[in-house]
Amino acid sequence: MRSTTGPARLVLFAAIIAILGLMPALPLFGGAVPVTAQTLGVMLAGAVLGPWRGAASVTLFLILVAVGLPLLAGGRGGIGVFFGPSAGYMLGWIAGAAVIGLIIHTGATRPTWLRTAAGLVVGGILVVYLFGIPVQSFIVGTSLTETALQSSVFLVGDTIKVVIAALVTMALWKAYPQAFPSFRRSSDRTPAESLSPATSNPRES
């Protein structure tokens, strides 16, 4: 069961990122990098799947883009997009999903509002910008300071996406904790099983 649901989760979240790309991209103030909803999918991948599965799901999505599928907002695709101003941000999605998952999942038995919000802000915004701004600066030919100021227009939209991702993550945990593979071991155990280390979970055998 686990061998099939694992890959299925990766495909599912790659599809979610692609579906969010159907929403129109909004270039703000003539910026080279458009505002899209796809970062929301990246945030959810890291928050729900954990660091490695989340990063793998985003990587799968970007591989599909690289081979030519028009999955990015605005129907963009192909290897050429990885040489444009958005390239650093897309690579930052992979690292961002991993960091989100690490903050929310590592050393925890369940997601909490604080860890979820912290993970989404650090991984979903700061890490993505850390990758995106230098690459955009290099390709467009502007200074890092100028590029950072231009990118600051995205902060309002990114903050809204953090709020949405946190609400969805916590609601999903409450409704269907089995969706969180990193927390599944503890969430699947009954209180009696948790108290008895010798009792094994039939789904883990």
Side-chain angles (χ1 to χ4, degrees), residues 4-17 45 49-50 52-58 60-61 181:
T4 57
T5 56
R9 287 191 181 100
L10 303 188
V11 173
L12 173 61
F13 276 86
I16 289 173
I17 299 171
L49 297 182
W52 315 123
R53 293 181 182 90
S57 181
V58 177
L60 173 61
F61 170 79

Side-chain angles (χ1 to χ4, degrees), residues 14-15 18 58-71 77-78 82:
V58 177
T59 301
L60 173 61
F61 170 79
L62 293 178
I63 289 173
L64 295 176
V65 170
V67 299
L69 295 183
L71 300 179
F82 293 94

Side-chain angles (χ1 to χ4, degrees), residues 23-163:
M23 300 179 66
L26 301 175
L28 295 181
F29 308 109
V33 180
V35 177
T36 76
Q38 290 186 301
T39 312
L40 174 59
V42 173
M43 292 178 181
L44 289 172
V48 176
L49 297 182
W52 315 123
R53 293 181 182 90
S57 181
V58 177
T59 301
L60 173 61
F61 170 79
L62 293 178
I63 289 173
L64 295 176
V65 170
V67 299
L69 295 183
L71 300 179
L72 291 175
R76 296 175 299 137
I79 196 67
V81 299
F82 293 94
F83 296 92
S86 300
Y89 294 95
M90 289 187 290
L91 295 177
W93 288 354
I94 300 174
V99 170
I100 290 170
L102 285 170
I103 293 175
I104 296 174
H105 291 248
T106 301
T109 57
R110 63 182 302 275
T112 65
W113 283 104
L114 180 60
R115 291 173 70 104
T116 299
L120 292 171
V121 170
V122 174
I125 298 179
L126 298 182
V127 171
V128 173
Y129 282 34
L130 184 63
F131 279 77
I133 289 174
V135 175
Q136 181 184 348
S137 172
F138 174 77
I139 293 176
V140 177
T142 56
S143 68
L144 284 172
T145 301
E146 183 180 355
T147 305
L149 289 174
Q150 291 174 353
S151 299
S152 66
V153 300
F154 300 126
L155 286 173
V156 174
D158 286 335
T159 302
I160 293 173
K161 283 180 271 189
V162 164
V163 173

